[in-house]
Amino acid sequence: MAHFEKANSIGEWLDQRLAVETLKRVLQTEYWIPKNINFLWAMGMVLAATFGILLISGIFLLMYYQPNVNLAFDSVNYTIMSQVGYGWLWRHVHGVGASVVFLIIYIHMFTGIYYGSYKKGRELIWLSGMLLFVLFSAEAFSGYMLPWGQMSYWAGMVITNLFSGGSLHANGLVEWIRGDYVPGQAFLNRFFMLHVLLVPLAIIGVIVLHFGTLRIPHVNNQDGEEFDFAEAAELYKAGNVKESKVIPFSPVFLSKDVLVMGVYFLFFFYLVFYHFEFAMDPVNFDPANGLKTPTHIYPEWYFLWSYEVLRPFSTNIGLIAFATAQVIFFMLPFLDRSPNVAPASRRGAFQIWFWLMLLDILVLTFMGKLPPQGIWSTVGLVAALTFFALWIALPIITKFEKKL
Amino acid sequence: MANNTKGRRDFMGMALGGFTALGGIGALYAMKRTWDPLPSVKAAGFTTIDLKDVQDNVLVTEKWRGKPIFVLKQSKEMVAKAQNEIGKNGKKSINRLIKIGDNYYMVAVGLCTHLGCIPGYNPEKEDFLCACHGGMYDATANVTKAPPPRGLDIPPFKIDGTKLVLGEAGPEYKKMLADGTTLAV
Ligand code: HEM
Ligand code: FES
C-alpha cells in the first residue's frame, strides 16, 4: 500500500487520497483563458447553468407527473399547477428554461461562426457542440410530448411520420418508433423514458466531451490570434499579470462569467414570473384528441426555421431539404475552406455570408409561424432556397478568401 | 514480459471479443424487439362499421386502430363527377369508391398522406383541405393538390352485407391494392 502521513487538515486529508490540489490546479487555477474575449464567451457557462436549472426543476416535476395517456394531462395541468405547493414554479421554470436554452445555444453557435472558432484544431469543439444541439432538440421534443395536450399529440404524429421517408412509405418504421399505429400509451412511455433518463444522460456525457475538446486548442479570442499559452501562463505565474495574455479560469475568469450569468438570470426570472406564457402554447391546454387536428400546427419557435425549410416543398424534396438542414451545420469546419481564424468582419465575402445566413434563419423563423398562404408561401420558399444557396456558396467564397 | 505469452494473450483477447460481439448483437436484437408494438396492440386491429344509415354527402368519422376513418356516401352527381376525375398522382377517382348494392362509399383513413394531419371536409365544395400544409383532396379522397403524394389510404376492408369489417382484406380491397389505387396501411 502507498504510504500515508498524518494529515493536518481536511483539505490535506482529501488531497492525500484524491489529489484534489492537482485537480484544482488542472481544472481551475491553471486552466488558461485569453484576456482578449468579450461577454459572448460567457454563453457556454450560461448554458451549463441553464441545464442545471432544467435538471432541478425537472426532478420536482417528476414527483407528480404521470406518464399515462389518461392521467398525464391532468397531472400537469391540475395536480402540478394547482395542487402541488409551488408546482407552478417548477413548471414555469422548466418551460421557460427549455425555450431560453435554445436562444442561448443559437447565440453561442453564431458567436463561434463569427469568430471562426471551429477551425484548425477546434473542429471537435464544433462537432461535439452540434451533437449537444441535436440532443437538446431531442430532449425538448420528447419533453413536449409529456403534458399530452393537442400540440403534444399532433407534433408527435407529424414528426414521427417524417420517418416514413415520403415515397419510401416505411410505415413499419413509424409504427416501430411509436410502438403503436398512432401515438398512444407505448409512445408516451418511451418518450418519457427518453426525456427523463437516456437523453439527459447522453447530454451530460457530451457536455464533458465538449469541455474536453476545449482543453488542448483553448478557447479562441476576438482577433483569432494564435499565441503560446505556456509562455503566457509562465508570465502570469511570475506575477506579470498585466503583460500576460491569459488569466486563470477560476477564480478570475469565472467571476466575469458569474457577472454575465447574474444579468442573464435577471432576464430569466423576469420571464418566469411575468412572461412565462410565451413558453406555454395555448393549444396545448386542450387534452390530446386523435380525432381532431388543431387548425395550425407549428413547432416551438426554436424549430421554426428548419420546419420552414420542409414546408414549401413536395413531400420527398421537403424531407431531403429538412434532413439536410438538420445536419448541414455539422459540416461547417469542412465547408469553410479558408485557413483564416479571424472575426467575420476581417474576412471579406465571408462577412456578407455570415449576416445573410443569420438574416435568412430569422426570416425562416418568422415565416414558419405564419400560415402557408399567398405571399408568405413565396417568401418562405425564397428563404428556404437562399439557405441552401448559401451553403453551396460557402466553399467557393472561402476558397478565394485572401490569406490574412 | 516474455514474448511467448503474447500469442496466448491475443488468443484470449480474440475469443473474449468474439463472444462479447455475439452477445452484443443478441442484446441489440432484444432491444429492437422491445420497441416493437405489443401483440395486444396488433390484435386490436378489427372494427365493424354499418353503412346503412349514412346520408349522402355527410361525412361520418369512425375510429380504427386509433386512427380516424372517413366515410362519405356519394350522391348520384358525385359519382358522375368521380367518373372523369384523375388525381395528382394519375390514379382514377372512381376506382377508390366502394360499391355496396347500388350505393357508392368513400372509406379512407382520415390522416393526410403528407404528414398525418386530419383534413377537413367542405360539403359545399365537395373537397377536403388539410390546414397543415395546404394539401387538397376531392370527395373520393383522391389527391388534387400537393404536398400529399397520394390520396388518403384505404384501410383493409371486407364487405359483409351493409357492413364493412375494417382490418380484414376482402377481394375488393385486394383489387385496389393490386391496381395501385391505395397503398397498404
Ligand atoms: C434531466 C433533466 C430533466 C427532467 C428530469 C425533466 C422532466 C420533465 C417532466 C417530468 C416534464 C413534464 C411536466 C411538464 O410538462 O412541465 C417535462 C417537460 C418538458 N421538458 Fe423536461 N426535464 C429535463 C430536462 C429538460 C431539458 C434539458 C429540456 C430542453 C432543452 C426540457 C424540455 C422540456 C419541455 C419543452 C417540456 C414540456 C413543458 C410544458 O409543456 O410545460 N427538459 N420535463
Ligand atoms: S399534413 Fe396535410 S398537407 Fe402536410
Side-chain angles (χ1 to χ4, degrees), chain B residues 113-159:
Chain B
T113 53
H114 180 222
L115 290 174
C117 295
I118 302 180
Y121 185 60
N122 182 336
E124 272 98 68
K125 294 199 191 142
E126 294 172 3
D127 65 8
F128 290 90
L129 168 68
C130 179
C132 284
H133 316 96
M136 292 187 78
Y137 304 85
D138 68 15
T140 72
N142 204 3
V143 62
T144 52
K145 180 168 169 286
R150 58 178 189 278
L152 297 184
D153 293 326
I154 298 170
F157 65 89
K158 206 180 123 221
I159 302 176

Side-chain angles (χ1 to χ4, degrees), chain B residues 30-46:
Chain B
M31 290 173 193
K32 187 262 166 202
R33 291 279 289 107
T34 300
W35 277 73
D36 277 349
L38 298 178
S40 58
V41 167
K42 288 267 181 200
F46 298 95

Side-chain angles (χ1 to χ4, degrees), chain A residues 51-370:
Chain A
F51 178 68
I53 291 221
L54 282 164
L55 201 71
I56 293 168
S57 54
I59 287 170
F60 286 95
L61 291 172
L62 204 47
M63 291 174 61
Y64 290 93
Y65 175 74
Q66 304 269 8
N68 176 301
V69 288
N70 298 318
L71 306 174
F73 185 83
D74 285 337
S75 77
V76 174
N77 289 302
Y78 175 69
T79 312
I80 292 178
M81 287 306 287
S82 65
Q83 298 298 107
V84 177
Y86 286 86
W88 57 268
L89 177 67
W90 307 122
R91 185 173 195 214
H92 290 169
V93 165
H94 205 72
V96 169
S99 193
V100 170
V101 86
F102 279 92
L103 176 68
I104 309 295
I105 286 180
Y106 286 133
I107 296 177
H108 192 58
M109 274 175 75
F110 274 92
T111 305
I113 301 177
Y114 187 84
Y115 290 102
S117 310
Y118 48 86
K119 303 201 221 191
K120 261 216 275 197
R122 296 200 176 91
E123 298 89 344
L124 277 179
I125 307 177
W126 181 260
L127 293 176
S128 57
M130 277 304 295
L131 211 54
L132 280 172
F133 175 70
V134 171
L135 286 171
F136 268 93
S137 304
E139 181 68 0
F141 175 73
S142 56
Y144 200 63
M145 298 300 104
L146 301 184
W148 211 240
Q150 272 292 67
M151 272 298 187
S152 305
Y153 184 93
W154 288 100
M157 180 74 121
V158 168
I159 297 297
T160 47
N161 263 337
L162 291 174
F163 289 88
S164 70
S167 297
L168 294 180
H169 200 56
N171 284 348
L173 177 62
V174 175
E175 281 153 21
W176 183 73
I177 293 170
R178 293 177 184 161
D180 200 337
Y181 301 105
V182 288
Q185 184 58 48
F187 177 92
L188 180 58
N189 255 142
R190 62 189 56 182
F191 277 85
F192 175 66
M193 175 280 287
L194 290 173
H195 186 74
V196 304
L197 183 64
L198 192 54
V199 181
L201 213 56
I203 286 178
I204 292 170
V206 180
I207 289 178
V208 172
L209 173 67
H210 194 58
F211 286 5
T213 58
L214 276 163
R215 182 91 205 168
I216 295 172
H218 285 93
V219 299
N220 197 4
N221 53 69
Q222 288 190 90
D223 296 307
E225 186 194 0
E226 193 180 316
F227 60 85
D228 189 338
F229 271 83
E231 199 181 294
E234 283 316 314
L235 215 56
Y236 186 94
K237 282 198 281 186
N240 297 330
V241 175
K242 269 226 164 65
E243 291 84 81
S244 177
K245 288 184 172 168
V246 297
I247 48 173
F249 171 67
S250 170
V252 186
F253 179 64
L254 205 56
S255 64
K256 300 187 184 218
D257 265 352
V258 168
L259 174 73
V260 178
M261 270 187 227
V263 175
Y264 163 76
F265 278 120
L266 281 179
F267 164 69
F268 185 91
F269 284 104
Y270 167 73
L271 291 179
V272 167
F273 291 116
Y274 301 103
H275 274 296
F276 55 84
E277 77 287 346
F278 87 96
M280 307 268 142
D281 195 297
V283 182
N284 222 21
F285 287 94
D286 290 328
N289 179 354
L291 296 182
K292 184 168 162 279
T293 326
T295 331
H296 292 297
I297 297 191
Y298 42 80
E300 291 291 280
W301 71 266
Y302 39 86
F303 293 141
L304 284 171
W305 69 271
S306 57
Y307 181 67
E308 186 56 19
V309 164
L310 164 100
R311 215 165 52 159
F313 302 109
S314 67
T315 315
N316 289 332
I317 300 174
L319 269 182
I320 294 169
F322 181 73
T324 313
Q326 294 312 302
V327 296
I328 194 75
F329 277 94
F330 274 101
M331 295 302 295
L332 182 62
F334 314 104
L335 292 177
D336 184 336
R337 310 299 301 276
S338 153
N340 295 331
V341 180
S345 59
R346 292 180 211 155
R347 291 184 56 198
F350 182 80
Q351 180 178 14
I352 300 168
W353 188 91
F354 174 86
W355 291 110
L356 277 180
M357 178 56 86
L358 188 60
L359 189 72
D360 195 49
I361 298 250
L362 288 175
V363 171
L364 285 168
T365 300
F366 283 109
M367 291 308 123
K369 189 83 190 213
L370 296 170

